[in-house]
Amino acid sequence: MMDSSRRRKNNYISLVLLLCLIILLLAGCWDRTEVNDLAIILATGVDVSKKEAIELSVQVFIPKPAEGGQQEGVSSGTNSSQTLVRSAEGVTIADAMSRLQEKLTRRIFWGQNEVLVIGEKLAKRGIEDQIDFWMRHSEPRERADVFVSMDSAKEVLESMPELERDSAKQLRKLVDSQIGVKVTVKDLSEMLSGEAGAAVIPWVAKLSPSNLGVNKGKNIPFIQGAAVLRGDKMVGWLSDKETRGILWPRNEMKSGIITIRTNGETGYVSLNLLRSNNQLMPKIMNGKWSIRVKTDADLEVIQNTSNLSLLHSKSLKEVERKVVQEIEDREKLALSKTQEKLNADIFGFAEAFQRKYPRIWRRKSSEWKEIFPKVDITFETKVNIIRTGLENEEARKGGEEK
Amino acid sequence: MIEKGKISPFQMALIIYAVVVGTAILYIPFITAQHAKRDLWLSPIWAALSGFLIVFIITKLYKLYPKKTLVEYSELILGRTLGKIIGFIFLFFLLYDTAIAFREYGEFVESAFLHKTPLVVVTGGIALTCAFAVHGGIEVLGRCAIIFLPIVLVLYLIIYLFLIPDLNVKNIFPIMEYGWIPSIKGSLAPHAWLSQFSLLSFLLPFLSDETKGMKWSILSVSVSVMTMVYINLGNIFLFGGIITSTQFPVFQAARYISIGSIFEHVESIVIAVWVLGGFVQLSAFFYMLVLGTSQWLKLHSHKPIILPFGFLIILFSVWSASSFQEMIRSMGTTTPFYFITIQLLIPMLLLFVAVIREKLRKA
């Protein structure tokens, strides 16, 4: 009896000692980093510097305590800058980063970096080496959105949007609206290493500020079309309209408004795209490569300034026919440019052929550069107008057309 | 008998699942993709063969020698000297296997989060924690498994559910572009991982309901294979062509989660939960090693050798590879052959001799 109670007591004492030891561990990590030791990077710009090296610019978030809450009103977020931009040169991004660190009192932290802007000059020279940093280093995120900017990327970071807090937020919100292409670092890496060896990246241009804006004289970045890359080098640029055209075959067209005019009418009909689905149907016949771009779209009418009565299936068919034509025209416009002029397969045609004809592809993949411009493209577009809006034009026009 | 505890067949299935899948989901996709490319999801299916075969052999052996582990019946089958040698080879391999598992755990935590922390601190920390579980015996292990693993399993599932908007199903086509060979070559590493089902031999004697041992083992193999296929499919859907260059696809996938730009940066949660699974896995390895060794040495208790073996494991985990790259390369090349030789061939040999002995005795 005595023995067992003493043993229990010993156990009890050792347990207490152990718990005391564990308390030591609660003090925290030995290499902890407090938030006020970090320079949180919101956006990064990469340019070619004058000395032909890499110029890395970062937009750093300035943490400020919330001031007085309501007093400054809603505009407080926009008129006082919450970010600063710093840049440094180096032979690689990582090298430039170490130089940049010398200028910043806080440790550079990539974890929140959501935007990567690449200057036009660098994009023309090749971006593969830059992407390597993003995929290899464990701190930057693969989900960061990538852009190519007209002129230097630094300027984009320095610009001040009117509605958003900073240019990083501005750019992210613009690509999220789904009217253009959206490319993350992961997507880009996938496109660059893919069979097609071509990529498309949203293009950032400058919008002059509105007159009433708070930051007069500063340009606002916005998305205008897309940069086209072959290999890892930028070879051309697509306008807004052409970019819309490439969204269809890429199956990224999810929203948009199409306005058409039917034959013999003066007014227009505008339709809102509800949903669309695209498929690429590759075919190799007698050594001739062709692709059928199959589109299936549902739309609704949102404005009708023509005299067409959309209650009649005949006029509805006419509108549908016109929409099909419009969509195909847009696709053709984009395709002719990328296929003939730029020779960059940004639609995933290569992958489509590879999936359908793996054996032929294995032999011919090295010749894709010569084959792609000659691929015959046909369209098969099906459009359904599923709603004609809330108004009935029979009532409005009193049926005068009939 | 050293261990007096009992576990249910379900607990056994969970423990062995943790042993196999814990680190497999981290390393298998990358290693498999080196050969199999976009067919990497097929490889675990080939590897299932090893899993089922080993479960069959081990349960068969157990039926011939009930209440005995591999270390014990190898002496009965091959005689004292030869049996001891085989037992030693197996245990030495198990030490290496355990050390590799600790190393894998440590390397992952290092490259994902604690870049500057010495590896020994990471592996030593978990080894100490595991030592407590091992000290508690098989029942503690079983309960840990039953508490932690459902959370881990749900986690594996939801990572890719959250990524559905980013998944591109077309990425798996064309299936078997280069025929069967790449996916079979890629299945080398999954074969090695699934051959670890031979460790069932250390768990079967403690079942509360022995009749269900076979059934739950088969189920555990199936779920392990399904998990690997699921993870590999998720990775190929998400990463497409760059799957061959993403070192920790599951981790990177977790980082990629972003829902409504609010629910993002969740990788820390993923790792925290994964560590739970890792804990069960490493404790199970540790336990089997210690149990087997004390049976081999005919000790009365496994407890005195827990700490020395913990130390030995950490040493071996440092010795096993000089760098992360070396470890990865050996896992894709030489290690699987080592694993399969010891874990498949030794039990096979034992069963062969045991069956012949049985026949001779009857005749």
Side-chain angles (χ1 to χ4, degrees), chain A residues 111-112 138 140-143 184 186 189-190 193 354-355 362, chain B residues 115 166 170 173 177-178 238-239 242 252 255-256 258 265 267:
Chain A
Q112 298 285 333
S138 75
R141 310 189 86 78
E142 294 88 352
R143 211 186 179 93
T184 67
K186 185 216 81 175
S189 169
E190 230 180 308
S193 68
Q354 188 197 13
R355 275 166 201 147
R362 225 185 303 168
Chain B
H115 306 281
D166 298 298
K170 274 191 198 153
F173 297 109
E177 185 183 0
Y178 297 95
L238 180 65
F239 292 106
I242 53 172
Q252 263 154 304
R255 281 163 61 114
Y256 206 70
S258 166
H265 300 230
E267 69 268 20

PDB file of all heavy atoms in Angstrom, chain A residues 111-112 138 140-143 184 186 189-190 193 354-355 362, chain B residues 115 166 170 173 177-178 238-239 242 252 255-256 258 265 267:
ATOM      1  N   GLY A 111       3.554  36.923 -48.975  1.00  0.00           N
ATOM      2  CA  GLY A 111       2.343  36.108 -48.785  1.00  0.00           C
ATOM      3  C   GLY A 111       1.040  36.732 -49.259  1.00  0.00           C
ATOM      4  O   GLY A 111       0.106  36.028 -49.590  1.00  0.00           O
ATOM      5  N   GLN A 112       0.965  38.057 -49.248  1.00  0.00           N
ATOM      6  CA  GLN A 112      -0.296  38.698 -49.636  1.00  0.00           C
ATOM      7  C   GLN A 112      -0.216  39.305 -51.032  1.00  0.00           C
ATOM      8  O   GLN A 112      -1.107  40.054 -51.432  1.00  0.00           O
ATOM      9  CB  GLN A 112      -0.653  39.811 -48.632  1.00  0.00           C
ATOM     10  CG  GLN A 112      -0.876  39.314 -47.226  1.00  0.00           C
ATOM     11  CD  GLN A 112      -2.205  38.614 -47.084  1.00  0.00           C
ATOM     12  OE1 GLN A 112      -3.148  38.894 -47.806  1.00  0.00           O
ATOM     13  NE2 GLN A 112      -2.293  37.680 -46.148  1.00  0.00           N
ATOM     14  N   SER A 138       8.728  29.744 -51.861  1.00  0.00           N
ATOM     15  CA  SER A 138       7.526  29.255 -51.191  1.00  0.00           C
ATOM     16  C   SER A 138       6.617  30.379 -50.719  1.00  0.00           C
ATOM     17  O   SER A 138       5.476  30.149 -50.373  1.00  0.00           O
ATOM     18  CB  SER A 138       7.906  28.363 -50.015  1.00  0.00           C
ATOM     19  OG  SER A 138       8.372  29.148 -48.956  1.00  0.00           O
ATOM     20  N   PRO A 140       5.653  33.639 -52.388  1.00  0.00           N
ATOM     21  CA  PRO A 140       4.658  34.210 -53.312  1.00  0.00           C
ATOM     22  C   PRO A 140       3.605  33.172 -53.672  1.00  0.00           C
ATOM     23  O   PRO A 140       3.889  31.977 -53.731  1.00  0.00           O
ATOM     24  CB  PRO A 140       5.486  34.583 -54.542  1.00  0.00           C
ATOM     25  CG  PRO A 140       6.879  34.560 -54.125  1.00  0.00           C
ATOM     26  CD  PRO A 140       6.983  33.599 -53.003  1.00  0.00           C
ATOM     27  N   ARG A 141       2.428  33.629 -53.930  1.00  0.00           N
ATOM     28  CA  ARG A 141       1.328  32.696 -54.175  1.00  0.00           C
ATOM     29  C   ARG A 141       1.134  32.443 -55.658  1.00  0.00           C
ATOM     30  O   ARG A 141       1.263  33.340 -56.474  1.00  0.00           O
ATOM     31  CB  ARG A 141       0.041  33.252 -53.586  1.00  0.00           C
ATOM     32  CG  ARG A 141       0.210  33.699 -52.176  1.00  0.00           C
ATOM     33  CD  ARG A 141      -1.105  34.023 -51.561  1.00  0.00           C
ATOM     34  NE  ARG A 141      -1.724  32.840 -51.017  1.00  0.00           N
ATOM     35  CZ  ARG A 141      -1.368  32.292 -49.871  1.00  0.00           C
ATOM     36  NH1 ARG A 141      -0.407  32.796 -49.179  1.00  0.00           N
ATOM     37  NH2 ARG A 141      -1.987  31.227 -49.429  1.00  0.00           N
ATOM     38  N   GLU A 142       0.761  31.201 -55.956  1.00  0.00           N
ATOM     39  CA  GLU A 142       0.536  30.831 -57.356  1.00  0.00           C
ATOM     40  C   GLU A 142      -0.731  31.470 -57.889  1.00  0.00           C
ATOM     41  O   GLU A 142      -0.997  31.440 -59.069  1.00  0.00           O
ATOM     42  CB  GLU A 142       0.420  29.314 -57.487  1.00  0.00           C
ATOM     43  CG  GLU A 142       1.687  28.548 -57.175  1.00  0.00           C
ATOM     44  CD  GLU A 142       1.811  28.215 -55.701  1.00  0.00           C
ATOM     45  OE1 GLU A 142       0.984  28.719 -54.911  1.00  0.00           O
ATOM     46  OE2 GLU A 142       2.728  27.477 -55.337  1.00  0.00           O
ATOM     47  N   ARG A 143      -1.552  32.007 -57.014  1.00  0.00           N
ATOM     48  CA  ARG A 143      -2.809  32.550 -57.474  1.00  0.00           C
ATOM     49  C   ARG A 143      -2.716  34.019 -57.871  1.00  0.00           C
ATOM     50  O   ARG A 143      -3.689  34.613 -58.322  1.00  0.00           O
ATOM     51  CB  ARG A 143      -3.884  32.386 -56.396  1.00  0.00           C
ATOM     52  CG  ARG A 143      -5.235  32.215 -57.023  1.00  0.00           C
ATOM     53  CD  ARG A 143      -6.363  32.185 -56.036  1.00  0.00           C
ATOM     54  NE  ARG A 143      -7.597  32.029 -56.777  1.00  0.00           N
ATOM     55  CZ  ARG A 143      -8.156  30.866 -57.038  1.00  0.00           C
ATOM     56  NH1 ARG A 143      -7.636  29.777 -56.593  1.00  0.00           N
ATOM     57  NH2 ARG A 143      -9.245  30.810 -57.755  1.00  0.00           N
ATOM     58  N   THR A 184      -3.626  33.580 -63.811  1.00  0.00           N
ATOM     59  CA  THR A 184      -2.844  33.547 -62.588  1.00  0.00           C
ATOM     60  C   THR A 184      -1.454  33.007 -62.910  1.00  0.00           C
ATOM     61  O   THR A 184      -1.223  32.510 -64.011  1.00  0.00           O
ATOM     62  CB  THR A 184      -3.496  32.637 -61.526  1.00  0.00           C
ATOM     63  OG1 THR A 184      -3.437  31.303 -62.006  1.00  0.00           O
ATOM     64  CG2 THR A 184      -4.923  33.027 -61.268  1.00  0.00           C
ATOM     65  N   LYS A 186      -0.101  30.396 -61.864  1.00  0.00           N
ATOM     66  CA  LYS A 186      -0.201  28.969 -62.166  1.00  0.00           C
ATOM     67  C   LYS A 186      -0.663  28.747 -63.588  1.00  0.00           C
ATOM     68  O   LYS A 186      -0.097  27.929 -64.309  1.00  0.00           O
ATOM     69  CB  LYS A 186      -1.187  28.302 -61.195  1.00  0.00           C
ATOM     70  CG  LYS A 186      -1.261  26.806 -61.344  1.00  0.00           C
ATOM     71  CD  LYS A 186      -2.650  26.260 -61.117  1.00  0.00           C
ATOM     72  CE  LYS A 186      -3.499  26.420 -62.343  1.00  0.00           C
ATOM     73  NZ  LYS A 186      -4.817  25.826 -62.288  1.00  0.00           N
ATOM     74  N   SER A 189       2.129  29.569 -66.010  1.00  0.00           N
ATOM     75  CA  SER A 189       3.143  28.519 -66.008  1.00  0.00           C
ATOM     76  C   SER A 189       2.653  27.309 -66.800  1.00  0.00           C
ATOM     77  O   SER A 189       3.405  26.665 -67.530  1.00  0.00           O
ATOM     78  CB  SER A 189       3.449  28.160 -64.561  1.00  0.00           C
ATOM     79  OG  SER A 189       4.217  27.021 -64.485  1.00  0.00           O
ATOM     80  N   GLU A 190       1.359  27.025 -66.650  1.00  0.00           N
ATOM     81  CA  GLU A 190       0.764  25.914 -67.379  1.00  0.00           C
ATOM     82  C   GLU A 190       0.774  26.196 -68.883  1.00  0.00           C
ATOM     83  O   GLU A 190       1.095  25.326 -69.681  1.00  0.00           O
ATOM     84  CB  GLU A 190      -0.682  25.744 -66.902  1.00  0.00           C
ATOM     85  CG  GLU A 190      -1.042  24.339 -66.512  1.00  0.00           C
ATOM     86  CD  GLU A 190      -2.485  24.263 -66.054  1.00  0.00           C
ATOM     87  OE1 GLU A 190      -2.876  25.058 -65.176  1.00  0.00           O
ATOM     88  OE2 GLU A 190      -3.222  23.423 -66.593  1.00  0.00           O
ATOM     89  N   SER A 193       4.333  25.997 -70.401  1.00  0.00           N
ATOM     90  CA  SER A 193       4.903  24.661 -70.539  1.00  0.00           C
ATOM     91  C   SER A 193       4.024  23.757 -71.376  1.00  0.00           C
ATOM     92  O   SER A 193       4.350  22.607 -71.621  1.00  0.00           O
ATOM     93  CB  SER A 193       5.133  24.042 -69.162  1.00  0.00           C
ATOM     94  OG  SER A 193       3.888  23.780 -68.549  1.00  0.00           O
ATOM     95  N   GLN A 354      -3.939  17.053 -79.502  1.00  0.00           N
ATOM     96  CA  GLN A 354      -3.215  16.032 -78.745  1.00  0.00           C
ATOM     97  C   GLN A 354      -4.193  15.062 -78.088  1.00  0.00           C
ATOM     98  O   GLN A 354      -3.941  13.868 -78.019  1.00  0.00           O
ATOM     99  CB  GLN A 354      -2.337  16.696 -77.689  1.00  0.00           C
ATOM    100  CG  GLN A 354      -1.408  15.720 -76.995  1.00  0.00           C
ATOM    101  CD  GLN A 354      -0.852  16.279 -75.710  1.00  0.00           C
ATOM    102  OE1 GLN A 354      -1.330  17.282 -75.210  1.00  0.00           O
ATOM    103  NE2 GLN A 354       0.154  15.629 -75.186  1.00  0.00           N
ATOM    104  N   ARG A 355      -5.303  15.600 -77.589  1.00  0.00           N
ATOM    105  CA  ARG A 355      -6.267  14.738 -76.911  1.00  0.00           C
ATOM    106  C   ARG A 355      -6.961  13.802 -77.875  1.00  0.00           C
ATOM    107  O   ARG A 355      -7.220  12.645 -77.557  1.00  0.00           O
ATOM    108  CB  ARG A 355      -7.313  15.612 -76.191  1.00  0.00           C
ATOM    109  CG  ARG A 355      -6.834  16.033 -74.842  1.00  0.00           C
ATOM    110  CD  ARG A 355      -7.652  17.135 -74.231  1.00  0.00           C
ATOM    111  NE  ARG A 355      -6.852  17.795 -73.215  1.00  0.00           N
ATOM    112  CZ  ARG A 355      -6.917  19.065 -72.909  1.00  0.00           C
ATOM    113  NH1 ARG A 355      -7.770  19.855 -73.507  1.00  0.00           N
ATOM    114  NH2 ARG A 355      -6.141  19.565 -71.981  1.00  0.00           N
ATOM    115  N   ARG A 362       2.174  13.042 -81.555  1.00  0.00           N
ATOM    116  CA  ARG A 362       3.514  12.735 -81.083  1.00  0.00           C
ATOM    117  C   ARG A 362       4.541  12.946 -82.193  1.00  0.00           C
ATOM    118  O   ARG A 362       5.642  13.403 -81.976  1.00  0.00           O
ATOM    119  CB  ARG A 362       3.557  11.286 -80.598  1.00  0.00           C
ATOM    120  CG  ARG A 362       4.293  11.159 -79.275  1.00  0.00           C
ATOM    121  CD  ARG A 362       4.440   9.729 -78.856  1.00  0.00           C
ATOM    122  NE  ARG A 362       3.153   9.041 -78.749  1.00  0.00           N
ATOM    123  CZ  ARG A 362       3.068   7.714 -78.629  1.00  0.00           C
ATOM    124  NH1 ARG A 362       4.146   6.986 -78.601  1.00  0.00           N
ATOM    125  NH2 ARG A 362       1.893   7.137 -78.523  1.00  0.00           N
TER     126      ARG A 362
ATOM    127  N   HIS B 115      11.478  27.315 -42.588  1.00  0.00           N
ATOM    128  CA  HIS B 115      12.676  27.185 -43.409  1.00  0.00           C
ATOM    129  C   HIS B 115      13.968  27.152 -42.598  1.00  0.00           C
ATOM    130  O   HIS B 115      14.923  26.518 -42.976  1.00  0.00           O
ATOM    131  CB  HIS B 115      12.762  28.345 -44.397  1.00  0.00           C
ATOM    132  CG  HIS B 115      11.535  28.489 -45.212  1.00  0.00           C
ATOM    133  ND1 HIS B 115      11.284  27.696 -46.294  1.00  0.00           N
ATOM    134  CD2 HIS B 115      10.471  29.296 -45.091  1.00  0.00           C
ATOM    135  CE1 HIS B 115      10.119  28.028 -46.804  1.00  0.00           C
ATOM    136  NE2 HIS B 115       9.608  28.999 -46.100  1.00  0.00           N
ATOM    137  N   ASP B 166     -11.672  25.822 -60.255  1.00  0.00           N
ATOM    138  CA  ASP B 166     -10.379  25.894 -60.930  1.00  0.00           C
ATOM    139  C   ASP B 166      -9.964  24.574 -61.575  1.00  0.00           C
ATOM    140  O   ASP B 166      -8.904  24.490 -62.182  1.00  0.00           O
ATOM    141  CB  ASP B 166      -9.288  26.301 -59.930  1.00  0.00           C
ATOM    142  CG  ASP B 166      -9.553  27.661 -59.351  1.00  0.00           C
ATOM    143  OD1 ASP B 166      -9.567  28.612 -60.136  1.00  0.00           O
ATOM    144  OD2 ASP B 166      -9.785  27.764 -58.137  1.00  0.00           O
ATOM    145  N   LYS B 170     -10.490  18.308 -68.525  1.00  0.00           N
ATOM    146  CA  LYS B 170      -9.869  17.938 -69.805  1.00  0.00           C
ATOM    147  C   LYS B 170      -8.395  17.565 -69.642  1.00  0.00           C
ATOM    148  O   LYS B 170      -7.832  16.901 -70.501  1.00  0.00           O
ATOM    149  CB  LYS B 170      -9.969  19.108 -70.772  1.00  0.00           C
ATOM    150  CG  LYS B 170     -11.271  19.129 -71.537  1.00  0.00           C
ATOM    151  CD  LYS B 170     -11.179  20.153 -72.644  1.00  0.00           C
ATOM    152  CE  LYS B 170     -12.538  20.540 -73.171  1.00  0.00           C
ATOM    153  NZ  LYS B 170     -12.499  21.903 -73.728  1.00  0.00           N
ATOM    154  N   PHE B 173      -6.943  14.032 -70.414  1.00  0.00           N
ATOM    155  CA  PHE B 173      -6.908  13.450 -71.756  1.00  0.00           C
ATOM    156  C   PHE B 173      -5.642  13.861 -72.485  1.00  0.00           C
ATOM    157  O   PHE B 173      -5.163  14.958 -72.287  1.00  0.00           O
ATOM    158  CB  PHE B 173      -8.140  13.892 -72.544  1.00  0.00           C
ATOM    159  CG  PHE B 173      -9.418  13.415 -71.940  1.00  0.00           C
ATOM    160  CD1 PHE B 173     -10.276  14.299 -71.317  1.00  0.00           C
ATOM    161  CD2 PHE B 173      -9.735  12.069 -71.967  1.00  0.00           C
ATOM    162  CE1 PHE B 173     -11.455  13.852 -70.742  1.00  0.00           C
ATOM    163  CE2 PHE B 173     -10.916  11.624 -71.396  1.00  0.00           C
ATOM    164  CZ  PHE B 173     -11.774  12.512 -70.781  1.00  0.00           C
ATOM    165  N   GLU B 177      -1.528   8.112 -73.283  1.00  0.00           N
ATOM    166  CA  GLU B 177      -1.010   8.588 -74.565  1.00  0.00           C
ATOM    167  C   GLU B 177       0.149   7.709 -75.024  1.00  0.00           C
ATOM    168  O   GLU B 177       0.294   7.419 -76.203  1.00  0.00           O
ATOM    169  CB  GLU B 177      -0.559  10.037 -74.399  1.00  0.00           C
ATOM    170  CG  GLU B 177      -0.117  10.678 -75.684  1.00  0.00           C
ATOM    171  CD  GLU B 177       0.393  12.083 -75.464  1.00  0.00           C
ATOM    172  OE1 GLU B 177       0.389  12.547 -74.310  1.00  0.00           O
ATOM    173  OE2 GLU B 177       0.786  12.714 -76.446  1.00  0.00           O
ATOM    174  N   TYR B 178       0.982   7.313 -74.076  1.00  0.00           N
ATOM    175  CA  TYR B 178       2.144   6.491 -74.419  1.00  0.00           C
ATOM    176  C   TYR B 178       1.965   5.050 -73.970  1.00  0.00           C
ATOM    177  O   TYR B 178       2.928   4.369 -73.647  1.00  0.00           O
ATOM    178  CB  TYR B 178       3.414   7.096 -73.813  1.00  0.00           C
ATOM    179  CG  TYR B 178       3.729   8.462 -74.356  1.00  0.00           C
ATOM    180  CD1 TYR B 178       3.317   9.602 -73.681  1.00  0.00           C
ATOM    181  CD2 TYR B 178       4.395   8.602 -75.570  1.00  0.00           C
ATOM    182  CE1 TYR B 178       3.577  10.875 -74.191  1.00  0.00           C
ATOM    183  CE2 TYR B 178       4.649   9.858 -76.091  1.00  0.00           C
ATOM    184  CZ  TYR B 178       4.243  10.993 -75.398  1.00  0.00           C
ATOM    185  OH  TYR B 178       4.485  12.219 -75.913  1.00  0.00           O
ATOM    186  N   LEU B 238      -6.052  20.231 -61.561  1.00  0.00           N
ATOM    187  CA  LEU B 238      -5.686  21.595 -61.188  1.00  0.00           C
ATOM    188  C   LEU B 238      -4.426  22.058 -61.915  1.00  0.00           C
ATOM    189  O   LEU B 238      -4.390  23.161 -62.444  1.00  0.00           O
ATOM    190  CB  LEU B 238      -5.474  21.687 -59.674  1.00  0.00           C
ATOM    191  CG  LEU B 238      -5.083  23.066 -59.151  1.00  0.00           C
ATOM    192  CD1 LEU B 238      -6.206  24.060 -59.380  1.00  0.00           C
ATOM    193  CD2 LEU B 238      -4.748  23.015 -57.673  1.00  0.00           C
ATOM    194  N   PHE B 239      -3.398  21.208 -61.952  1.00  0.00           N
ATOM    195  CA  PHE B 239      -2.109  21.686 -62.436  1.00  0.00           C
ATOM    196  C   PHE B 239      -1.820  21.342 -63.890  1.00  0.00           C
ATOM    197  O   PHE B 239      -0.946  21.953 -64.493  1.00  0.00           O
ATOM    198  CB  PHE B 239      -0.982  21.131 -61.556  1.00  0.00           C
ATOM    199  CG  PHE B 239      -0.995  21.686 -60.178  1.00  0.00           C
ATOM    200  CD1 PHE B 239      -1.413  20.931 -59.105  1.00  0.00           C
ATOM    201  CD2 PHE B 239      -0.607  22.997 -59.954  1.00  0.00           C
ATOM    202  CE1 PHE B 239      -1.430  21.460 -57.829  1.00  0.00           C
ATOM    203  CE2 PHE B 239      -0.613  23.525 -58.679  1.00  0.00           C
ATOM    204  CZ  PHE B 239      -1.033  22.758 -57.620  1.00  0.00           C
ATOM    205  N   ILE B 242       1.939  21.208 -65.617  1.00  0.00           N
ATOM    206  CA  ILE B 242       3.030  21.528 -64.696  1.00  0.00           C
ATOM    207  C   ILE B 242       3.061  20.588 -63.493  1.00  0.00           C
ATOM    208  O   ILE B 242       3.816  20.802 -62.555  1.00  0.00           O
ATOM    209  CB  ILE B 242       2.986  22.998 -64.217  1.00  0.00           C
ATOM    210  CG1 ILE B 242       1.617  23.349 -63.641  1.00  0.00           C
ATOM    211  CG2 ILE B 242       3.356  23.944 -65.322  1.00  0.00           C
ATOM    212  CD1 ILE B 242       1.587  24.714 -62.979  1.00  0.00           C
ATOM    213  N   GLN B 252       0.313  22.934 -52.486  1.00  0.00           N
ATOM    214  CA  GLN B 252       0.101  24.050 -53.404  1.00  0.00           C
ATOM    215  C   GLN B 252      -1.373  24.193 -53.767  1.00  0.00           C
ATOM    216  O   GLN B 252      -1.857  25.298 -53.955  1.00  0.00           O
ATOM    217  CB  GLN B 252       0.966  23.872 -54.646  1.00  0.00           C
ATOM    218  CG  GLN B 252       2.238  24.678 -54.517  1.00  0.00           C
ATOM    219  CD  GLN B 252       3.361  24.116 -55.335  1.00  0.00           C
ATOM    220  OE1 GLN B 252       3.714  22.944 -55.189  1.00  0.00           O
ATOM    221  NE2 GLN B 252       3.939  24.919 -56.194  1.00  0.00           N
ATOM    222  N   ARG B 255      -2.990  26.042 -51.061  1.00  0.00           N
ATOM    223  CA  ARG B 255      -2.691  27.469 -51.175  1.00  0.00           C
ATOM    224  C   ARG B 255      -3.531  28.138 -52.243  1.00  0.00           C
ATOM    225  O   ARG B 255      -3.760  29.339 -52.208  1.00  0.00           O
ATOM    226  CB  ARG B 255      -1.212  27.666 -51.567  1.00  0.00           C
ATOM    227  CG  ARG B 255      -0.258  27.525 -50.438  1.00  0.00           C
ATOM    228  CD  ARG B 255       1.127  27.324 -51.003  1.00  0.00           C
ATOM    229  NE  ARG B 255       1.535  28.450 -51.804  1.00  0.00           N
ATOM    230  CZ  ARG B 255       2.536  29.266 -51.471  1.00  0.00           C
ATOM    231  NH1 ARG B 255       3.205  29.055 -50.374  1.00  0.00           N
ATOM    232  NH2 ARG B 255       2.874  30.263 -52.240  1.00  0.00           N
ATOM    233  N   TYR B 256      -3.927  27.346 -53.224  1.00  0.00           N
ATOM    234  CA  TYR B 256      -4.624  27.921 -54.367  1.00  0.00           C
ATOM    235  C   TYR B 256      -6.106  28.185 -54.069  1.00  0.00           C
ATOM    236  O   TYR B 256      -6.783  28.865 -54.813  1.00  0.00           O
ATOM    237  CB  TYR B 256      -4.486  26.978 -55.566  1.00  0.00           C
ATOM    238  CG  TYR B 256      -4.585  27.691 -56.885  1.00  0.00           C
ATOM    239  CD1 TYR B 256      -3.568  28.534 -57.308  1.00  0.00           C
ATOM    240  CD2 TYR B 256      -5.704  27.564 -57.707  1.00  0.00           C
ATOM    241  CE1 TYR B 256      -3.652  29.210 -58.509  1.00  0.00           C
ATOM    242  CE2 TYR B 256      -5.782  28.233 -58.911  1.00  0.00           C
ATOM    243  CZ  TYR B 256      -4.756  29.051 -59.297  1.00  0.00           C
ATOM    244  OH  TYR B 256      -4.840  29.726 -60.483  1.00  0.00           O
ATOM    245  N   SER B 258      -9.358  29.702 -53.118  1.00  0.00           N
ATOM    246  CA  SER B 258      -9.818  31.066 -52.913  1.00  0.00           C
ATOM    247  C   SER B 258     -11.294  31.110 -53.245  1.00  0.00           C
ATOM    248  O   SER B 258     -11.684  30.911 -54.385  1.00  0.00           O
ATOM    249  CB  SER B 258      -9.033  32.017 -53.823  1.00  0.00           C
ATOM    250  OG  SER B 258      -9.681  33.257 -53.873  1.00  0.00           O
ATOM    251  N   HIS B 265      -5.916  31.556 -48.296  1.00  0.00           N
ATOM    252  CA  HIS B 265      -4.765  31.436 -47.400  1.00  0.00           C
ATOM    253  C   HIS B 265      -5.056  30.412 -46.306  1.00  0.00           C
ATOM    254  O   HIS B 265      -4.827  30.655 -45.126  1.00  0.00           O
ATOM    255  CB  HIS B 265      -4.412  32.781 -46.754  1.00  0.00           C
ATOM    256  CG  HIS B 265      -4.056  33.835 -47.757  1.00  0.00           C
ATOM    257  ND1 HIS B 265      -2.920  34.587 -47.658  1.00  0.00           N
ATOM    258  CD2 HIS B 265      -4.677  34.236 -48.869  1.00  0.00           C
ATOM    259  CE1 HIS B 265      -2.868  35.408 -48.685  1.00  0.00           C
ATOM    260  NE2 HIS B 265      -3.932  35.219 -49.429  1.00  0.00           N
ATOM    261  N   GLU B 267      -3.764  27.350 -46.148  1.00  0.00           N
ATOM    262  CA  GLU B 267      -2.821  26.243 -46.087  1.00  0.00           C
ATOM    263  C   GLU B 267      -2.362  25.930 -44.662  1.00  0.00           C
ATOM    264  O   GLU B 267      -2.072  24.790 -44.345  1.00  0.00           O
ATOM    265  CB  GLU B 267      -1.621  26.491 -47.003  1.00  0.00           C
ATOM    266  CG  GLU B 267      -0.687  27.601 -46.579  1.00  0.00           C
ATOM    267  CD  GLU B 267      -1.064  28.923 -47.211  1.00  0.00           C
ATOM    268  OE1 GLU B 267      -2.221  29.044 -47.638  1.00  0.00           O
ATOM    269  OE2 GLU B 267      -0.219  29.821 -47.272  1.00  0.00           O
TER     270      GLU B 267
END
